Each structure stands twice: as C-alpha cells, then as structure tokens.
Amino acid sequence: MDIESATVVRLVEQFLKEHNLQKTLETLQKETGISINTVDNVETFKSDIIKGKWEAVLASVEQAGIAQGKLVDLYEHIIIELVELRDMGPARALLRQTEPMEIMRTSQPDRYLKLEQLLSRTSLDLNDTFGGKGTKESRRLEIANSLVSEVSTAPPSRLLTLLGHSIQWQKQQGVIPDGVPYDLFYGRILEVVSSDEDKPPTKLLATIKFPKNEHPGSLAFSPNGEYIATGSIGGFIEFWSAMTGKIADELDFQAKGSLMMMEDTVTSLAFSHSGDLVCAGAGDGKVKAWKVKSGSIAKRFPSAHSQRVSSVAFSRDDTQILSGSADGIIRIHGLKSGNMLREFRGHTAAITSAVFTEDMSRVVSTSDDGSLRIWESGSAECLFTVLPGSDKLGLSMPGILSAHAIPGRPTDFIVCTKSPTIYIVGIDGQVKRSFAAKQGTCNEFLAAAVLPRGKLVLAVSDTSALHCFDVETGLPLDNTPKVADAEIFGMACHPSLSIVAFFSNDRRVPIWASQ
C-alpha cells in the first residue's frame, strides 16, 4: 500500500495540534498548503455554533482548513453578535486583525464597510443587520450546517498509535528485539551496559506516576526487561515501559481500560519465567495468576492465606506458585490444579520473602522473627534455621526483609536485615560474608536487590540513600545517591541491565540506571 505524503503531513499536524504546538502547526500548514480539516467532535462543534459558544468555535476552526468564504460568513456573524452585546473590543479585534476579515476588506469592501459602521452605532436591530436572511438563531443553524460539511473527525493520537502498531509488528517479526532500549529515529539498539559488567545506578532514568490517592504496594520486572508491573493499594495491576515509565498501551486489554484487579491492596507480584503470566498476592490473603497478553485470569487461589500475602514466586518450570504470608505460613500451589500442594510451618512471625532455589529442591524463606529457613521442597522439612548476626547481636535479632539468589552462584543468597548489615548465606545454612554500611550513613536497610551479573548488591537505607556493595570484597562503593523523597517500601532490579526501580507511598516509582 502506497502512503501519500499529504497523509503523513496530516498525521504530523494532528500531533502538533494535540500537543498545543500552534506556531509550528501554522507554519507547516502554510508551507504545505495541507490542513487536517478535523475537529474533536462534529456534533459538539455544530452544537457550539448553534449555542453561540464562539470561543470554542474559533478554536476549532483555527486550523481546520475551512473554505475562506464560509469563514468570512462565520466571522461576520460573530462580529454582529458581539456588537449586539456591546462587546466592542473583541468585535474590533476580529474585524481588523483576522485573515478572513482582511479577505473581506480586499474582495468585498462594501460589505466590510458595513461592519465598520456597525461598530460606531449606539443601537442595533439584528433583523435589519442580517438583511432579511432570518433571525439570529436561524443564521446560526445555517452557518452550522455549512461548516459541518467542511469538517470531519479522526481518532486521537493517530501518529503515535500507528508507530506503536508498527513497533509491535516488528517485534513479532524479530526485527526489533524485546527488552532493550531502541532508538526509533535512527532505527538501532541503544548502547547498554556490557553483558559482563554491573554498574551502580547513579541517575534517574524515568518515573512512573500514579494518580491521586493511589500509590504502589509492589512491583516486578518482566523476564525480558520490557515491562515493570506495579500493584496498587487500590488493587490494580498495571504494566509500564521499563525504559520510559509510560503506560504500556501496546497491551490491548490495558489500552481499552480493562485492567487486572484484586479485591484488596496488591502486596506482592512476580512474573513467570516465560513472561506469559504474572502472579499477584493481596492484603486479603488471596492469590491470582493472570495472562499478561490478554489480561485474563489464568488461575484463582481464593484461600491461599488467612492474612496479607507478602511474597509470591514461580517455580523454575512455571508449574507451581510459592506464597508466603503475614500468617507465618509458606505454601506451594499447583498452577494447573489450583490446589495447595505443600505447607511449610515453623516461622513465628510474618513471612517477608520466599523463593525456590534454581533446581527447585529447596525453598528459602525469611521472616520478621529474624530467621532465615532452608526447607526441602518435596517434604516441607526445615533443614536449616539461620540467625544472621546472632554472634554479635545475641537475643536482639532484627527482622529479615528478604533473601535473593545471587546470579551465577545458585547456592548463595543475599539476605537483607532490618539493620545496617547485609549477609551472604549459603544453601548449607552457613553465613559466608557480611556487608556493613559506613558508620553514620545508615540506621537500617529497608530493601535490597542484586544486579543481574551478581557482582553488586544494592540496598536502600532509612534515608532513601542507595548503598552499593561489591559482592566479592564486601566493600561499599562511595556514591550513595538519594533515590526518593519518601521512605522506600521495596525495590527490584532489571533482569539484564543495571537498572533498578523503587516504590514508596508518594505516588511515584523512580527508575534509576547507571551512567
């Protein structure tokens, strides 16, 4: 299919109009001689003329490309009505400073002179002024019918919509790869962090903004790094571009407003390893799995827990869902059957995280009771109970916030405690290393994550400062940027780039990246 250049010009003109770039729009129309001849709504446009809403009418016809003769009739009528209202300033401005009236002055001087004479009269009879052509109302209707034939309406944001469809098609054809930043203008992949190097995030890349009275309660990156899923206190699950922070309108269900929704605050989120599903846990103890592309329910677990679900995770083969709750219980659910398969009991306080090991033979859990437990996943037997820092802190054990597998080291986990210290714990229950913030820089950590190559550990302090530690040496890096104004609730890392997202209660999800 051939695309006419005039069509492309009109697409650009619509974009300029929608973004209020009026001078640029006027210049483009003047240089090309092409107008878009559209209004937002034809019926509303006609109604505004009939009701005499002239400010709205003039704004609509300004770049609509209407025939000059019909514009002359419209402007003449508006001037007469303004004179009737004794609103002389706007009447003079329309008569003496607009293009349609300048055309009347040069091509129909007698008609123009009559309008000039109207401006100096102290009284006005509209019936005489219209020269027997009808009443004010009938003239409005006549002008409305005349102008409506000149204009049409078009769907909004056509240029961006067409570009979005083109990008999606190219992704499906493998022309544009998923999950990497892409320069649409130059048609090339942007340079990203080397695949064998982790770098500390030092700059704000983008920000996801929530509406008033909403804020995130959880978030997760998709496995290909294309999306960030967020769960809100209102129960909504939404998908955003990980690179721009914009809503992912290419997901049809989301573009149509058919959002995924839980009945309570979304307190935990996880993608399946295939990226086809997203699992959500809620404040009422329910768990649901959703299909990412369609937005439809894949499976419900209405009785997953009796209290808030603080953690959800998929098994490596995506056949099971692991959930942990404020009720202190960890459970494995069958995705196909919807049944609870195994239950892990032993923690004496709320579960804060629970994950499978890479080979699915173990489950690693953390709790507010200050312990990390390692379980045999088949029998639900507790193999090890670890109390990080017990040799130094004695009975005063801080709660544990999370455990994260270290990429490239499947038997080691980063363990973040509610203290200024982070630990590496092995699958054998041994504490292998600790990371401590520099004295005076942190009272306690609130969240932690590991960058994709497993070389650097990130942790956010109670002052919202981002601390970074070298996994091999345990030493902290010097730079500790403040990543948010509010207290951080949680964070997650991109699966392949040195990018990290944070959430708190201030309606914003800042996304940070390395230089």
Side-chain angles (χ1 to χ4, degrees):
M1 180 182 70
D2 294 332
I3 301 176
E4 296 182 2
S5 58
T7 301
V8 177
V9 172
R10 290 189 179 95
L11 287 170
V12 175
E13 288 178 346
Q14 184 194 47
F15 177 87
L16 295 173
K17 180 180 179 182
E18 290 176 342
H19 289 77
N20 201 32
L21 300 171
Q22 297 298 331
K23 291 184 179 180
T24 307
L25 174 58
E26 291 170 6
T27 301
L28 181 60
Q29 289 182 331
K30 184 176 181 180
E31 290 187 356
T32 62
I34 299 170
S35 300
I36 49 178
N37 288 65
T38 62
V39 293
D40 293 337
N41 185 292
V42 173
E43 289 303 316
T44 300
F45 176 60
K46 182 176 181 180
S47 174
D48 287 344
I49 297 173
I50 293 173
K51 294 178 181 178
K53 297 182 178 180
W54 301 124
E55 186 174 349
V57 171
L58 290 175
S60 296
V61 303
E62 191 173 5
Q63 278 89 30
I66 294 172
Q68 287 293 345
K70 294 183 179 182
L71 282 180
V72 167
D73 292 341
L74 171 66
Y75 276 65
E76 178 186 44
H77 182 88
I78 294 174
I79 291 169
I80 292 171
E81 287 202 15
L82 289 173
V83 171
E84 179 196 25
L85 296 171
R86 308 310 295 167
D87 201 351
M88 307 307 289
R92 288 191 182 93
L94 282 179
L95 179 62
R96 298 170 182 173
Q97 300 175 22
T98 59
E99 186 178 353
M101 291 297 95
E102 178 63 20
I103 291 173
M104 177 193 282
R105 187 181 68 82
T106 55
S107 62
Q108 302 178 64
D110 292 341
R111 186 178 176 186
Y112 181 87
L113 183 60
K114 287 182 180 180
L115 291 177
E116 282 283 9
Q117 291 170 349
L118 280 180
L119 295 178
S120 60
R121 292 173 60 174
T122 57
S123 62
L124 183 67
D125 185 336
L126 286 182
N127 290 326
D128 291 341
T129 302
F130 289 137
K133 294 182 180 179
T135 64
K136 174 172 65 176
E137 289 73 19
S138 65
R139 281 291 293 159
R140 286 180 179 178
L141 180 60
E142 181 181 344
I143 290 171
N145 290 330
S146 174
L147 293 182
V148 163
S149 66
E150 292 276 321
V151 298
S152 60
T153 187
S157 303
R158 286 296 295 155
L159 179 61
L160 297 181
T161 299
L162 291 171
L163 286 173
H165 290 165
S166 172
I167 291 170
Q168 283 302 107
W169 183 86
Q170 291 183 75
K171 285 183 178 179
Q172 292 171 1
Q173 301 301 312
V175 178
I176 297 177
D178 275 344
V180 296
Y182 186 81
D183 191 312
L184 185 61
F185 181 76
Y186 287 105
R188 66 191 182 197
I189 298 171
L190 294 175
E191 291 185 9
V192 297
V193 178
S194 171
S195 61
D196 60 355
E197 185 178 8
D198 286 336
K199 291 185 178 180
T202 55
K203 65 177 181 180
L204 183 65
L205 176 67
T207 302
I208 296 171
K209 299 178 182 178
F210 277 65
K212 190 176 181 180
N213 300 323
E214 278 280 5
H215 67 76
S218 54
L219 63 79
F221 279 90
S222 62
N224 64 4
E226 184 175 5
Y227 300 126
I228 293 175
T230 60
S232 75
I233 60 169
F236 294 103
I237 302 164
E238 297 174 282
F239 298 86
W240 315 79
S241 166
M243 297 299 167
T244 66
K246 303 297 184 183
I247 195 74
D249 285 332
E250 64 269 20
L251 295 173
D252 289 340
F253 76 90
Q254 190 162 262
K256 295 174 182 176
S258 302
L259 302 181
M260 300 176 183
M261 187 173 182
M262 304 291 282
E263 289 76 21
D264 204 334
T265 298
V266 183
T267 51
S268 52
L269 280 173
F271 280 89
S272 63
H273 292 84
S274 67
D276 295 333
L277 302 175
V278 67
C279 181
D284 57 7
K286 296 178 182 178
V287 172
K288 293 181 183 178
W290 306 77
K291 296 178 181 178
V292 173
K293 288 189 177 180
S294 66
S296 60
I297 287 279
K299 187 65 67 174
R300 291 181 174 89
F301 304 91
S303 304
H305 291 278
S306 61
Q307 297 181 42
R308 171 178 55 87
V309 180
S310 51
S311 175
V312 289
F314 281 88
S315 61
R316 189 69 184 175
D317 59 4
D318 291 338
T319 62
Q320 299 173 354
I321 291 174
L322 180 69
S323 64
S325 168
D327 60 17
I329 301 171
I330 304 152
R331 291 185 172 127
I332 295 178
H333 312 269
L335 186 58
K336 186 175 182 180
S337 67
N339 297 329
M340 192 269 285
L341 304 179
R342 277 174 294 284
E343 185 176 83
F344 305 77
R345 289 179 178 266
H347 283 291
T348 58
I351 305 300
T352 53
S353 72
V355 293
F356 285 104
T357 57
E358 188 172 314
D359 62 4
M360 293 175 53
S361 66
R362 301 285 187 269
V363 167
V364 178
S365 63
T366 60
S367 169
D368 277 336
D369 64 13
S371 72
L372 174 144
R373 291 181 180 247
I374 300 168
W375 314 76
E376 205 281 317
S377 60
S379 65
E381 176 188 358
C382 183
L383 303 177
F384 304 100
T385 299
V386 185
L387 302 173
S390 58
D391 56 330
K392 298 179 181 179
L393 300 173
L395 297 176
S396 180
M397 292 301 301
I400 301 180
L401 296 167
S402 60
H404 306 271
I406 301 177
R409 295 169 58 171
T411 60
D412 290 337
F413 291 81
I414 292 293
V415 179
C416 179
T417 65
K418 294 180 181 178
S419 75
T421 306
I422 290 174
Y423 301 88
I424 294 180
V425 178
I427 201 66
D428 58 0
Q430 298 299 308
V431 177
K432 297 184 175 183
R433 185 185 293 279
S434 63
F435 307 83
K438 292 181 179 179
Q439 190 170 5
T441 63
C442 171
N443 293 317
E444 65 178 22
F445 289 121
L446 305 179
V450 190
L451 286 177
R453 255 59 67 188
K455 305 298 184 183
L456 297 178
V457 175
L458 305 178
V460 179
S461 72
D462 50 342
T463 60
S464 298
L466 182 62
H467 295 252
C468 187
F469 299 92
D470 187 295
V471 171
E472 295 301 327
T473 66
L475 297 176
L477 278 63
D478 290 333
N479 190 24
T480 55
K482 186 174 182 179
V483 295
D485 294 326
E487 184 176 271
I488 296 296
F489 291 167
M491 61 190 290
C493 283
H494 191 282
S496 58
L497 305 176
S498 293
I499 294 174
V500 61
F502 310 88
F503 70 92
S504 61
N505 64 353
D506 71 348
R507 298 170 48 202
R508 296 174 182 269
V509 174
I511 305 169
W512 281 64
S514 61
Q515 292 286 0

